[in-house]
Each structure stands twice: as structure tokens, then as C-alpha cells.
Amino acid sequence: MKYFLRRIAFFLATLWAAVTLNFIIPRLEPGDPAEVMVRKLSGKDAQLDPAAVKAMRAMLGAPDGNLLRQYVRYLDALAHGDFGLSYTYYPYGVTEVIGHALPWTLALVGTTQVLSFIIGITLGAFAAWRRNSRFDSVVTLGSTFLGALPAFWIALLLLFAFGYTLGWFPTSGGYEDSIPGWNGAFIGDAVIHSILPAVALLVTTSVAWVLGMRNTMVLNLGADYIRLAKAKGLADRDVALRYAARNALLPSVTGFAIALGGLLGGSVLVESIFDYPGMGRLMAEAIGNKDYPLLQTLLLFIVVGVLLANLIADMLYGVLDPRVRRTPA
């Protein structure tokens, strides 16, 4: 019980620190979002009118007063679920804006994370079991090579080859001519638009699971309990799956949980390149427009998601491996 209470206490302390940093960091960035919006409306070279800037701040509900007063108001707003209005999508609220983007990211990034985890650990486990074979060499070298390539470069390569050159897939957006809703035309349109971003994410995210699973399983294959299992005459398949792979999978549980928690932020580079209407593109727009309410809420979603996923992983560790509960933290 002490182990679980410690995990919960660490979670609450880290959450408070994350919320505080989430409030401070955007305000350290130079510039004024009200001035940015006034310049957009009046023209890039036009002289700023202080009265117009002041009116824009009032219209946007920009925070005023010292940092301490803003921080207290910020915590009070969070407690009441009030995330404010988006500067970029004014007069829509932050919650409404995120509500439109979140399903797209959950469908794209969530699906690719699960698929990349399954594909990665399967290839890694088989490569470890067949280590020093041709299959192991191809998987290891291929994963190392792909892991060295930036995600945005792979996305741009796919976009150029299959979007612009061959014209097999759309080059931007989440859908085109169909009407959004639970109908076959829209779902098919959305799936076609998500293929290239999904492939780009699969290629880049599978690499870590392949190499991590292979290296961990190779270490486990040299353990005493593996030699004992072989000495008992167990089938190679049972030794690989029930002993080596099962134990090698434990470190990947935490990584997978954190990856699932972080998917709320989407993939900024990939979604921006394909102009995909998800949380990643939304974050890029919030940064570019100094949209503090939207940016703070997006960062808060990501942090809370990762912390919750990490807490769940710690709890599962305590259940699956009793040794963890006896280890001082």
C-alpha cells in the first residue's frame, strides 16, 4: 500500500509543478498577442494604435495585473474548467477548438501508436530470438537507418512521392468534399487523407520499439531462468514467448503508456506538413499566434495525459511485478 500511496503523492506534486510551469513558460516569450492581432487587422507596416491594442486586450480577455494575481486567477479558472477564449479562433472558446481537433489526433496518432507498438515488439522479439541471423541483421540495420532520419523528412518524402508525383493520395487536410458525419463517404475520405501521415508516423515510431525490445530480450536470453527452461526440455516457442519475451516486455509497458499519454499533443511536424486538422497543427498555430489560452491548455492536456499514463504504468508494475513494491522509491 505504501508503494501506491507514494506513486500518487509523486503524481500530485509533479502535476502541481507542471501546472505552474505551464503558466510561467508562455509568459516568458516576448511579444504581445493583442499587438499581433492588431497588426494582422491593420496591416504589417501600419503604426500601432495604443487604444486599439488596449481594446483588443479587453476583447480577448488577456490577463492583467502582476504574475501572482494572474496565477491565482489561472488556478481558479482551471478548478472551474474555464480555459478562456482562443486568440486565434476568437470568439470560440479553447474547449470548443480542442474538441474539434482532438478526435482527429486520437484517430490518427492513437491508431499508429498501437500499431507501431505491436509491430515493433513483434519484430524486435523475433529478431532477438533469431539473433545474428539474416533477419536480425536486416531488422536491426533497417531500424537504425530509419531511426536516424528525421520524421519531417520522411513526411516530406512521402508527400512528394505519393502526393505530388504519383498523385495517389491527397496532399493536405483531413477530408475534402464529403460532409462530416458517421457516413461511409466521409469515413472513406478521412481514411484516404490519413494514410500518408499514418505511414510517416508508423515508420518513425516503430523503430524505438524494435530496438528496445530486441536489446532487452537479448539480455534476458542469457539469464539463468532461460537456461533452466531449455534444460527442462521446453519448446523453443514457449521459451521465447512465455519467458524471454514476457519479461522483456515489462520495460516497454511504461514507454507505451507514456506514448499514449503524449498522443494528446499529436505530432506537430507531421500534422503541420500534411495540414492535418489535429492537435499538433493546433499547437503550431497557437505558438505562431501567441495564443496563450490555447497553448496553455494544449500543454496542460499533454502533461496530464503523460502523468496519468505514467501513474497507471507504475500501478501496473506494482501488480505485475511484486519485487517493485518491495524496492524503496
Side-chain angles (χ1 to χ4, degrees):
M1 181 60 69
K2 290 183 178 180
Y3 169 81
F4 296 108
L5 292 177
R6 268 200 310 269
R7 295 295 108 187
I8 295 174
F10 287 157
F11 166 77
L12 294 176
T14 308
L15 179 61
W16 171 80
V19 168
T20 303
L21 289 174
N22 188 41
F23 166 81
I24 294 175
I25 291 176
R27 284 164 173 78
L28 297 178
E29 186 180 359
D32 186 348
E35 292 183 2
V36 173
M37 293 197 68
V38 170
R39 286 190 184 278
K40 285 183 178 180
L41 295 175
S42 58
K44 183 178 180 181
D45 299 326
Q47 188 174 2
L48 280 178
D49 183 2
V53 175
K54 184 177 180 181
M56 182 63 71
R57 287 199 189 100
M59 185 179 68
L60 295 176
D64 55 358
N66 57 50
L67 278 179
L68 181 58
R69 183 175 300 176
Q70 292 182 32
Y71 180 62
V72 173
R73 291 177 182 173
Y74 172 69
L75 294 180
D76 182 68
L78 287 184
H80 291 86
D82 180 14
F83 298 104
L85 298 176
S86 170
Y87 299 168
T88 307
Y89 295 92
Y90 184 86
Y92 294 102
V94 169
T95 306
E96 187 175 358
V97 174
I98 292 177
H100 286 292
L102 185 57
W104 293 95
T105 291
L106 291 178
L108 174 66
V109 185
T111 302
T112 53
Q113 285 287 2
V114 173
L115 288 177
S116 66
F117 179 75
I118 295 173
I119 294 171
I121 63 172
T122 302
L123 289 177
F126 194 74
W129 185 248
R130 301 295 182 185
R131 61 190 182 280
N132 300 324
S133 66
R134 181 176 298 178
F135 178 82
D136 179 32
S137 300
V138 171
V139 170
T140 304
L141 292 177
S143 300
T144 304
F145 173 74
L146 291 176
L149 300 178
F152 72 89
W153 188 86
I154 295 176
L156 289 173
L157 182 63
L158 292 172
L159 185 63
F160 174 77
F162 299 101
Y164 291 108
T165 304
L166 298 175
W168 290 356
F169 301 100
T171 57
S172 64
Y175 63 96
E176 197 165 351
D177 299 325
S178 55
I179 300 175
W182 292 104
N183 55 79
F186 173 73
I187 293 175
D189 196 9
V191 169
I192 291 175
H193 279 75
S194 66
I195 288 177
L196 288 183
V199 172
L201 290 173
L202 274 175
V203 170
T204 55
T205 56
S206 299
V207 172
W209 302 122
V210 172
L211 297 178
M213 183 67 180
R214 181 196 177 276
N215 295 337
T216 306
M217 188 168 169
V218 167
L219 292 176
N220 287 342
L221 286 173
D224 292 338
Y225 68 89
I226 296 295
R227 289 194 288 268
L228 178 61
K230 291 180 178 179
K232 288 183 176 180
L234 296 179
D236 288 348
R237 181 179 178 181
D238 290 337
V239 174
L241 295 179
R242 296 176 56 189
Y243 289 85
R246 184 177 179 181
N247 285 279
L249 188 61
L250 283 175
S252 299
V253 171
T254 302
F256 182 59
I258 294 175
L260 286 181
L263 70 83
L264 293 177
S267 176
V268 176
L269 291 176
V270 172
E271 290 185 13
S272 297
I273 289 172
F274 290 99
D275 197 27
Y276 193 78
M279 301 280 279
R281 192 190 71 173
L282 202 62
M283 180 173 290
E285 292 178 349
I287 294 173
N289 296 322
K290 302 185 187 301
D291 192 341
Y292 291 152
L294 181 57
L295 181 59
Q296 285 184 159
T297 307
L298 288 171
L299 292 175
L300 186 64
F301 271 44
I302 298 172
V303 168
V304 172
V306 172
L307 289 178
L308 282 175
N310 201 19
L311 177 64
I312 294 172
D314 285 341
M315 297 299 185
L316 287 176
Y317 251 80
V319 173
L320 296 175
D321 191 350
R323 295 173 299 176
V324 176
R325 298 196 298 266
R326 295 193 295 267
T327 302

